[in-house]
Amino acid sequence: MSTPIFVTAASIAAQLHQAQHHARGLALTAKNARALAVRAGSKTVGFRAITQFIDELASDIIRQSQYINQLSEQVSQHAVALWRGNMADGRFDWVMAENSEHRASLAHSQRQCRLRSDELSERLRRGLRLLEQELDESEKHIRTANLIATSSKVEAASAGEFRGQLEVIAENINATANQIRAHLQQARQLLSQRQI
Amino acid sequence: MLATTIYEQGDHRWIMFGRDPDKAEGIIDTNQYLVISGEEAILLDPGGIELFAPMLSAVLKYVPADQIRYLFASHQDPDIISSLGLWDQALPNASLYSPWLWEGFIRHFGMERIRYCAIPDEGLNLTVGRIQLQFVPAHYLHSSGNFHVYDPKAKILMSGDVGAALEPGEPPLWVENMSQHSAHMKTFHQRWMPSNEAKDHWLRRVRQLDIDIMAPQHGRLFKQAHVDEFFNWFEQLSVGIALR
Ligand SMILES: [Fe+2]
Ligand SMILES: [Fe+2]
């Protein structure tokens, strides 16, 4: 049995929720790194600049995840309504095939039900397209995260006696970026496997 | 779905639906009732979601969909009204009469088009075609907001879960022998009915009614002679005690 779209959408929302959680951790790491860089003074000017990027990246990811989350919730709701409409339609078909004297009186309701389903399908299609676009957009964040992780390692290397501490932070950034990437990729994969 | 006309006088009819041979195993058997008068009809305790398609098909053998103006749910149980989300698609112009107490709960079954008409605690009269039906309070029997339906013209009391029996196999439609039948009702009433006080209150009121048929939501129906026997049996039965 294929996974219903409302389950897929809810699973995507769950992935984005996780990504958001890690992004918050990233923002915290950025704050710690900045504090350290300020204390370390001139040797860590480069690192300090990077923390600014990390901070921005974290809030971008949080903002976008919230939006995608909201989108997937809408998609899930439309999908549930559509599923219910289709279930009613299926039952109406069954009734129509039975030999009930007044079955024709059901035709109007069935037509209405199908019209609503068509409209819901259209809204669902639009929602899914938007979701796809947003997730594509999130690719950009993954690339930025990779870049930041690499350059923080490079900057840490030239930070003299602060090298050790900054390397830990750089590793932390790298690990968190990997986790966010994994969740976003999982979300995209879920979306690509969907069935309507 | 088995359909039996239990009352017919001109264009005034009571039809009972139940004993669905295709019913999935493990689902309690239920009786649904359709009351027709002239061009209007009401469906009493329309049943669970599993029963929706056979019910709709059975009902359309008697009335066109647009004449089913009203639905009635005696209380909030799933075997009574979990089909609501599908009736909502089939009968967009219908009204559902149900206890005010359960409105916020019953809406969880899905209701976007059908109108909810809340029955106040003291009950309500509803005109259906050329007849009047009375929604008679039966609170705590077993649900804390609960109504039965009395049709003074047909002299039928639809008694919800009161008078219900859990009988194995395929029992006939009518009670034939009360002492045998009470064995199938005893545990049900002791466990599901929580209050002796509510029971006595109900008995005092329904004994004033002129009843030819008592029609519960599960099991066999009672003809006049057995109705009094049932009242006496119910009166002496202590309920809400099955755990003691
Ligand atoms: Fe019940
Ligand atoms: Fe019941």
Side-chain angles (χ1 to χ4, degrees), chain B residues 28 30 75 77 79-80 142 160-161 164 188 217-218:
Chain B
I28 187 170
T30 50
H75 59 291
D77 269 348
D79 63 328
I80 300 282
H142 63 92
D161 283 325
F188 183 91
Q217 193 234 346
H218 308 278

Side-chain angles (χ1 to χ4, degrees), chain A residues 5-65:
Chain A
I5 187 71
F6 51 86
V7 177
T8 305
S11 309
I12 291 174
Q15 291 298 332
L16 268 297
H17 180 76
Q18 292 295 322
Q20 239 182 86
H21 172 75
H22 292 304
R24 292 218 167 84
L26 196 61
L28 199 66
T29 306
K31 257 191 207 76
N32 292 337
R34 191 157 43 241
L36 184 67
V38 168
R39 259 189 289 133
S42 61
K43 279 179 209 139
T44 56
V45 173
F47 204 94
R48 209 185 312 170
I50 292 172
T51 59
Q52 188 59 39
F53 284 120
I54 302 173
D55 212 31
E56 272 165 32
L57 175 68
S59 36
D60 277 355
I61 292 176
I62 291 170
R63 207 172 321 117
Q64 206 203 5
S65 298

Side-chain angles (χ1 to χ4, degrees), chain A residues 91 98 100 102 105 109 113 116, chain B residues 49 57 60 64-65 89-90 113:
Chain A
R91 307 278 163 111
E98 293 281 296
S100 298
H102 299 287
S105 67
S109 288
C113 175
R116 275 195 301 274
Chain B
I49 195 163
S57 168
L60 291 185
Q89 309 255 358
R113 285 157 278 275

